[in-house]
Amino acid sequence: MRILLIEDDPDLAEVVALGLRNESYAVDLVTTYSDAEESLRTTAYDVACFDLGLPDGDGLDLVRRLAWDPDLRRPRRTLVLTARDAVADRVAGLDAGADDYLVKPFHFAELVARLRALGRRGDDHGSTLRVGELTLDLAAHRAWRSGAELDLTAREFSLLRYFMHHPGEVLSAEDLLEHVWDAHANPFTSSVRVILSRLRKKLGDPALIITITNVGYQLKVPQP
């Protein structure tokens, strides 16, 4: 998943962003309302994590705007991360349109578990993905082909996960860059091609991810 983390505490923001990247998420980090607004105008996120007490505005106002403002690209899911712990605050956050609400201070493991849960909403995969010979354990970050475990880096795991969420679809390099990499990625580099080449090598033969010339890449779906 590609995550937008909106957090004005620089120390907390860097720790959480680093931890999420180590969990194989692509994370864009912003610290102000205006920067969050700009990110939501330009990028489609899987999850946006909103701090509410921002230096130039209230994050809850931004959550509300997602429901009606056509200039903002609504994330698939939204999570409020805030020190506001009163029941009335929780109710206000959820009523504003947030999918989940987590009070600071929180345990990092709980944040990751909530993000996994948000990512599973709307599908029936649970914590395990299966496509043909491939199996992914999303919680344990383990992958297998035909029962043989694969030794994947965090980025390779994220890339394979994205393919397995879109089996049979032709995905362009731009699609992969937007959802598996974060804002620090240079769109003019060959990083997608390099990581994809390493992933294909680790998946072995016969090839499961094929190139559709001049269009993109496709995870083959087993025929019934």
Side-chain angles (χ1 to χ4, degrees), residues 18-72:
L18 178 60
L20 292 176
R21 289 172 183 143
N22 288 339
E23 292 288 329
S24 80
Y25 295 108
V27 181
D28 293 346
L29 172 61
V30 297
T31 58
T32 65
Y33 185 106
S34 58
D35 286 345
E37 191 177 30
E38 182 61 26
S39 294
L40 290 166
R41 284 195 184 105
T42 58
T43 305
Y45 290 99
D46 297 293
V47 179
C49 299
F50 290 84
D51 185 14
L52 300 186
L54 300 172
D56 55 343
D58 189 340
L60 195 58
D61 173 62
L62 200 51
V63 174
R64 292 190 185 100
R65 284 180 55 192
L66 294 174
W68 59 265
D69 192 336
D71 291 333
L72 302 181

Side-chain angles (χ1 to χ4, degrees), residues 134 145 150 152 156 159-160 163 171 176 192-213 216-220:
L134 294 171
R145 178 176 182 176
L150 305 170
L152 303 182
E156 292 161 358
L159 187 58
L160 181 57
F163 273 109
L171 305 174
L176 301 175
V192 171
R193 181 177 54 80
V194 171
I195 299 298
L196 184 57
S197 176
R198 291 198 327 224
L199 175 60
R200 283 169 154 171
K201 184 175 180 180
K202 290 182 179 182
L203 290 176
D205 295 318
L208 295 178
I209 299 174
I210 61 174
T211 300
I212 309 299
T213 305
Y217 309 95
Q218 179 187 53
L219 175 64
K220 293 194 296 185

